[in-house]
Amino acid sequence: MEKSGNILFSGVGGQGILLASEIVAYALLDAGFDAKKSEVHGMAQRGGSVTAELRYGKKVYSPLIEPGKVDLQMAFEMMEAVRYLPMLHKGSRVIVNTQKLLPPSVANGSVEYPENILDRLTEKGITVIPVDAFALASEAGEIKTVNVVMVGVLSNFLPMAPSVYEEVINTQVKERFRDVNLKAFALGRKVS
Amino acid sequence: MNKNQFWMSGNEALALGAFEAAVSVASGYPGTPSTEILENLVKYDEVYCEWAPNEKVGLEVAIGASFAGSRALATMKHVGLNVAADPLFTAAYTGVRGGLVVITADDPEMHSSQNEQDNRNYAFAAKLPMLEPSDPAEAKEFIKLGYRLSEELDTPVLVRMTTRVSHVKGIVEKGEVAPRAVASVVKNAPKQVMLPALARKRRVYVEERMTKNREIAETIEINRIEKGDTKRGFICSGVSYLYVKEVFPEASVLKLGMCWPLPEKKIKAFADSVDELFIVEELDPFLETHIKAMGVACKGKELVPNQGELNTAIVRRSIVPETVEKCFEASALPPRPPNMCAGCPHRGIFFNLSRMNVFVSGDIGCYTLGFLPPLNAMDSCVCMGASVTIAHGMIKALENAGAKGESVHNKVVSVIGDSTFMHSGITGLLNSVYNGSSATLIILDNRITAMTGQQQNPASGKSIKGDPATSLDIEGLCRAIGVKHIWTVNPHEVPETRKVLKEAMDCEEMSVVISRAPCVLLPEMKERKAVSYYTRQENCVGCGSCIRLGCPAISWTKFGEGEAEAKGYKRTQKGVSKIDENICNSCGQCASLCKFDAITRKEA
Ligand SMILES: Cc1ncc(C[n+]2csc(CCOP(=O)(O)OP(=O)(O)O)c2C)c(N)n1
Ligand code: SF4
Ligand code: SF4
């Protein structure tokens, strides 16, 4: 496994990015890494575009990822996969939930949702891994588990065993939601 | 991580540090990025915590606890210290009995703020020591150190956080919990009654204390030199230190954990040990100005930006621009600004205001988003509480110097949230009534301080712990202040609310409309049975009335050539609207606007 790395989580406020990034962070800590994670709270969470930045390695100083240095991005929405393009480099991998959440200007009909938007990544030599996380979350029995489906997909790219994530889900998620979240994780993990 | 190590944010670490320092009383007012400090500290049963209605109150409560011999804490965001500046500057004279720490959480880049003032300037102005941690682990240690310094030097101590320390998670190690001081009443008028004769004596002490504090700054461990090569030396504090370490791991660094007062001897010795000296700091040239005043040559703001946050890329570009690699250009996309939640009660009010020809003097909270399209219904927003007073000032100007014969009372409306009203709107309303304003004030009573993530306030009926508390009767309060014209409306009934707003604006005396409906993110609202509204698309005539609300659950589908006719609509219809039932929070505002029976409640 890489000795250090930078993971960017991007999506829309309310999609559960904080929980997803938290599960991944704990799993990395469990594997013995130092880590730092930056979150945005407050105004930015009211349905706006949001990110969390997770860095790991032997010793991590800066809590922010330098533009161009993201190795892996977890995008919870298609447009939000492309919004942070300057953070990526040729060869970055982007796991994308292929859901479309309409920003106000698209919802009210004044502009169109851009077509074939993920081409803007692939044409730069970025590897795109599309996932219908919404469908998988519905299959798990709770559409709010999109975030944990995404963690399941990501787990294939990191060396920690699934049991590490499952243990974190058990401690981080309220008891009555545990089973659907474990199911969501398993469904995401199956995507390759 | 070992068993004693925990993954926590800077704010959680401050709470742990305060607990380990045996803090007894903590008070504060929410504000990003400071809010989670008290939210986490309240989890320790040994500490008494409370939400104060504003930061001045919170700091005064902490001063009181300190006077009783207990360790005390006040927390706030950067602009909160402006509100609490009055007690702060004089507490610098009284000093403390139990240790007193004041945390100011600054927000460079204005992620969630109206300005990006640099509160290190307060340490200089109030003559107080300030500690500035770089990461969560330091945050915990520094607050504990703050209490030791506070008692040793008989001074309040400022701890400055920034967004990238408060909201960053890292590894923190648990420590020992200090023994708790026993509180008691001890009178000490010469030290605690700041009338001129006594204050003059304390004034002398403040300078003596600064001299002693400067000596401490020379030797304190948190002001440390990390020897590297002598080519470049950096002086930095807070999160800037981390960026410098990452970009220049080989360089010499003087890390200032105490950013005021400064260790002059140490700085001069460090400057002499390197070929070139750089000061890397976010926002103001605070260290730079004071270091240059010592006669030390250094480079700072001519290279490093004085606006916004720094990061490793900015530090690299500032110091070694020749090494910068090119990144991908941003790709053009429709923006995704924040929006009020689906079902937010504020939307009904702002929708109505957007349809009225009136100046909306706004305030700070979730409702500030009423400024954004499609509502565009806010015309000013300065600081908490200013909605009421700015409206009053405008009214008086219009009365005194406006066009002859024009009515004034229906020109300006102010809008304020419940928490903001209690924070600093009440005195403004008192002034408006006393001085005969004819404005209309709308109080958005959603029972909670929503924008910062649902904190209880004096109108919530609950304490910070969630225990029952006395709930302010807002209407009774307005009446007691002297407001004669008061209405309470349900903002989800949009047309009815419009009628009341018109009536209130027609009043020639100060009038108040209380808009009462809970925030949809309250736990009790989230746990309601899921009943949503849906669109009967066969009835939709495409008038767009509901779209103009700007609810995130409603979207517009444009018809292509001939599509309207093919689907059985009028040939000229341009499209239909649709509710996403997964997003809808069943407020009914859109239904109250639809004249074609196309939006209906779906019964469970
Ligand atoms: C002096 C100061 N303290 C704190 C804040 C942070 N802040 C802004 S608005 C707000 C409260 C908003 O609550 P409310 O007025 O009830 O409106 P809501 O968000 O519930 O709609 C807070 C805590 C600030 N901007 N200024
Ligand atoms: S959190 Fe509450 S007050 Fe804020 S936008 Fe959402 S519903 Fe409105
Ligand atoms: S009822 Fe209408 S306005 Fe209210 S949340 Fe649902 S779609 Fe939005």
Side-chain angles (χ1 to χ4, degrees):
Chain A
M1 163 169 196
E2 301 290 334
K3 287 199 183 67
S4 64
N6 297 319
I7 309 177
L8 174 70
F9 297 77
S10 65
V12 179
Q15 280 191 303
I17 286 187
L18 293 191
L19 176 65
S21 59
E22 205 57 3
I23 296 172
V24 180
Y26 271 110
L28 286 163
L29 292 167
D30 217 75
F33 287 104
D34 182 24
K36 276 207 179 103
K37 182 170 73 137
S38 246
E39 302 171 345
V40 174
H41 299 199
M43 192 70 138
Q45 276 180 305
R46 294 278 165 281
S49 174
V50 290
T51 59
E53 307 188 13
L54 177 59
R55 307 191 63 218
Y56 63 95
K58 194 155 173 289
K59 163 94 188 145
V60 176
Y61 284 108
S62 166
L64 294 176
I65 304 173
E66 190 161 331
K69 298 277 160 64
V70 166
D71 306 301
L72 205 53
Q73 182 183 357
M74 291 256 275
F76 285 51
E77 201 273 350
M78 288 213 286
M79 216 185 264
E80 301 314 309
V82 179
R83 196 176 303 281
Y84 302 95
L85 185 56
M87 297 295 289
L88 304 174
H89 58 81
K90 194 173 170 213
S92 298
R93 277 188 287 213
V94 183
I95 302 169
V96 190
N97 172 23
T98 52
Q99 214 177 335
K100 282 184 189 171
L101 294 174
L102 310 184
S105 57
V106 177
N108 68 23
S110 46
V111 300
E112 303 269 330
Y113 195 100
E115 271 182 53
N116 304 325
I117 187 168
L118 297 178
D119 293 353
R120 301 191 199 176
L121 299 178
T122 44
E123 70 199 18
K124 296 263 187 311
I126 293 161
T127 309
V128 173
I129 300 134
V131 184
D132 190 348
F134 187 79
L136 293 174
S138 311
E139 192 183 328
E142 171 55 75
I143 54 168
K144 289 192 183 126
T145 59
V146 161
N147 55 352
V148 178
V149 169
M150 293 291 286
V151 173
V153 183
L154 176 77
S155 72
N156 291 308
F157 298 91
L158 295 172
M160 292 83 77
S163 61
V164 178
Y165 299 89
E166 285 159 6
E167 212 182 296
V168 181
I169 292 171
N170 279 328
T171 53
Q172 294 288 307
V173 176
K174 275 201 198 120
E175 197 175 336
R176 62 191 167 111
F177 298 118
R178 252 172 231 165
D179 288 342
V180 292
N181 276 291
L182 290 171
K183 201 164 163 202
F185 175 79
L187 287 170
R189 173 110 188 148
K190 269 196 227 147
V191 176
S192 48
Chain B
M1 287 201 301
N2 67 38
K3 263 209 233 110
N4 235 355
Q5 290 177 323
F6 294 83
W7 171 250
M8 22 174 103
S9 69
N11 283 350
E12 287 171 287
L14 285 171
L16 176 61
F19 167 68
E20 288 180 359
V23 164
S24 175
V25 172
S27 186
Y29 183 72
T32 313
S34 73
T35 313
E36 302 82 5
I37 306 167
L38 280 192
E39 285 182 327
N40 283 288
L41 190 54
V42 72
K43 294 176 188 161
Y44 301 97
D45 284 336
E46 293 83 347
V47 189
Y48 168 80
C49 291
E50 64 175 32
W51 286 128
N54 69 33
E55 295 85 355
K56 169 175 149 66
V57 172
L59 175 52
E60 288 161 355
V61 168
I63 293 171
S66 162
F67 282 2
S70 281
R71 285 191 165 178
L73 176 67
T75 69
M76 60 204 68
K77 73 182 284 163
H78 60 336
V79 286
L81 197 54
N82 301 335
V83 179
D86 197 8
L88 182 78
F89 277 68
T90 306
Y93 286 29
T94 64
V96 304
R97 210 178 131 218
L100 174 61
V101 168
V102 180
I103 300 174
T104 161
D106 295 10
D107 190 16
E109 196 78 32
M110 297 172 272
H111 294 284
S112 290
S113 304
Q114 65 268 38
N115 76 27
E116 62 172 5
Q117 67 188 51
D118 186 334
N119 276 6
R120 292 176 302 171
N121 295 302
Y122 269 113
F124 166 75
K127 302 174 189 293
L128 293 173
M130 179 179 263
L131 308 180
E132 208 190 359
S134 301
D135 62 18
E138 280 192 355
K140 199 205 83 167
E141 294 313 319
F142 282 22
I143 185 171
K144 291 169 78 173
L145 174 64
Y147 282 101
R148 291 199 296 275
L149 275 174
S150 170
E151 285 163 6
E152 187 186 328
L153 285 170
D154 186 10
T155 180
V157 171
L158 288 161
V159 172
R160 178 187 187 240
M161 301 288 282
T162 55
T163 303
R164 299 305 182 179
V165 186
S166 280
H167 289 168
V168 161
K169 287 198 159 188
I171 298 172
V172 177
E173 191 145 336
K174 259 194 187 161
E176 299 279 304
V177 179
R180 173 190 301 262
V182 178
S184 61
V185 173
V186 173
K187 297 193 185 187
N188 189 353
K191 196 169 170 291
Q192 292 173 350
V193 180
M194 286 302 96
L195 51 71
L198 298 175
R200 271 180 219 120
K201 293 206 176 94
R202 291 300 294 177
R203 176 73 187 84
V204 176
Y205 174 72
V206 169
E207 291 308 321
E208 288 166 6
R209 183 177 69 200
M210 253 307 155
T211 306
K212 210 156 123 195
N213 200 341
R214 277 189 205 101
E215 281 158 23
I216 291 176
E218 297 288 352
T219 54
I220 199 163
E221 278 167 37
I222 60 171
N223 287 344
R224 65 165 187 265
I225 292 175
E226 296 174 7
K227 268 219 167 81
D229 70 25
T230 54
K231 192 172 138 220
R232 289 195 191 97
F234 291 90
I235 300 182
C236 39
S237 66
V239 73
S240 311
Y241 163 77
L242 299 175
Y243 303 142
V244 165
K245 286 298 277 187
E246 180 122 359
V247 180
F248 302 103
E250 73 296 333
S252 294
V253 176
L254 168 53
K255 179 186 192 304
L256 295 173
M258 183 187 275
C259 64
W260 190 257
L262 295 177
E264 186 163 342
K265 285 183 222 129
K266 200 170 218 162
I267 289 171
K268 285 183 167 160
F270 181 72
D272 287 342
S273 74
V274 295
D275 302 342
E276 212 177 358
L277 182 62
F278 298 90
I279 315 291
V280 176
E281 55 189 328
E282 272 175 349
L283 304 181
D284 292 348
F286 178 78
L287 300 175
E288 182 185 342
T289 305
H290 294 290
I291 288 171
K292 281 187 172 157
M294 295 170 190
V296 173
C298 58
K299 287 198 180 122
K301 290 297 164 187
E302 69 260 52
L303 303 174
V304 184
N306 64 357
Q307 295 176 37
E309 285 184 329
L310 299 182
N311 58 36
T312 46
I314 297 173
V315 170
R316 201 186 302 282
R317 203 188 313 132
S318 305
I319 312 288
V320 282
E322 62 284 1
T323 66
V324 171
E325 291 165 37
K326 244 182 108 100
C327 288
F328 293 137
E329 301 267 328
S331 184
L333 290 171
R336 193 187 296 274
N339 188 356
M340 288 181 273
C341 303
C344 175
H346 303 333
R347 183 173 284 108
I349 294 290
F350 285 99
F351 177 78
N352 276 323
L353 291 173
S354 73
R355 295 285 173 281
M356 298 167 112
N357 180 21
V358 66
F359 184 98
V360 181
S361 169
D363 222 305
I364 310 187
C366 282
Y367 51 97
T368 313
L369 297 170
F371 160 76
L372 295 173
L375 301 174
N376 307 307
M378 192 174 287
D379 301 299
S380 67
C381 170
V382 176
C383 65
M384 287 186 76
S387 55
V388 197
T389 35
I390 285 177
H392 178 67
M394 290 183 75
I395 291 270
K396 288 297 162 188
L398 293 170
E399 276 174 6
N400 200 37
K404 282 223 166 59
E406 234 178 27
S407 68
V408 167
H409 60 270
N410 55 358
K411 291 250 173 345
V412 189
V413 166
S414 49
V415 185
I416 195 167
D418 53 349
S419 188
T420 306
F421 178 63
M422 290 173 279
H423 178 280
S424 46
I426 297 172
T427 40
L429 181 60
L430 183 62
N431 177 62
S432 298
V433 174
Y434 170 53
N435 289 308
S437 189
S438 58
T440 297
L441 168 65
I442 304 170
I443 302 174
L444 305 169
D445 179 13
N446 62 356
R447 301 273 105 184
I448 206 80
T449 312
M451 200 191 96
T452 38
Q454 279 74 41
Q455 290 77 34
Q456 300 79 0
N457 68 42
S460 307
K462 281 186 191 150
S463 72
I464 187 171
K465 274 196 144 113
D467 297 334
T470 306
S471 163
L472 173 72
D473 168 5
I474 295 179
E475 192 177 328
L477 175 81
C478 293
R479 197 154 277 135
I481 284 179
V483 182
K484 289 189 219 124
H485 315 279
I486 305 173
W487 292 261
T488 299
V489 296
N490 173 0
H492 297 311
E493 292 168 354
V494 179
E496 282 71 17
T497 299
R498 172 99 54 108
K499 283 183 210 140
V500 173
L501 289 177
K502 279 206 175 118
E503 207 179 321
M505 284 165 60
D506 282 340
C507 251
E508 291 186 24
E509 289 182 283
M510 186 72 210
S511 57
V512 169
V513 177
I514 301 168
S515 159
R516 180 161 294 149
C519 163
V520 298
L521 292 191
L522 287 179
E524 57 268 35
M525 294 294 285
K526 276 184 160 170
E527 274 160 32
R528 285 174 315 174
K529 231 197 296 166
V531 190
S532 80
Y533 280 72
Y534 74 107
T535 338
R536 276 198 203 142
Q537 283 196 325
E538 68 278 13
N539 285 2
C540 179
V541 299
C543 70
S545 289
C546 57
I547 293 286
R548 284 191 281 273
L549 258 177
C551 171
I554 310 178
S555 63
W556 177 251
T557 313
K558 223 185 263 172
F559 285 152
E561 270 294 305
E563 197 180 338
E565 255 179 324
K567 289 197 166 146
Y569 294 102
K570 247 192 173 163
R571 192 177 47 83
T572 50
Q573 187 165 332
K574 297 213 167 67
V576 283
S577 94
K578 185 173 182 312
I579 291 176
D580 182 336
E581 292 169 34
N582 290 322
I583 303 177
C584 171
N585 273 318
S586 49
C587 68
Q589 288 174 23
C590 54
S592 82
L593 288 171
C594 180
K595 297 198 177 81
F596 303 93
D597 199 22
I599 300 180
T600 344
R601 195 176 159 88
K602 188 179 204 172
E603 295 309 329

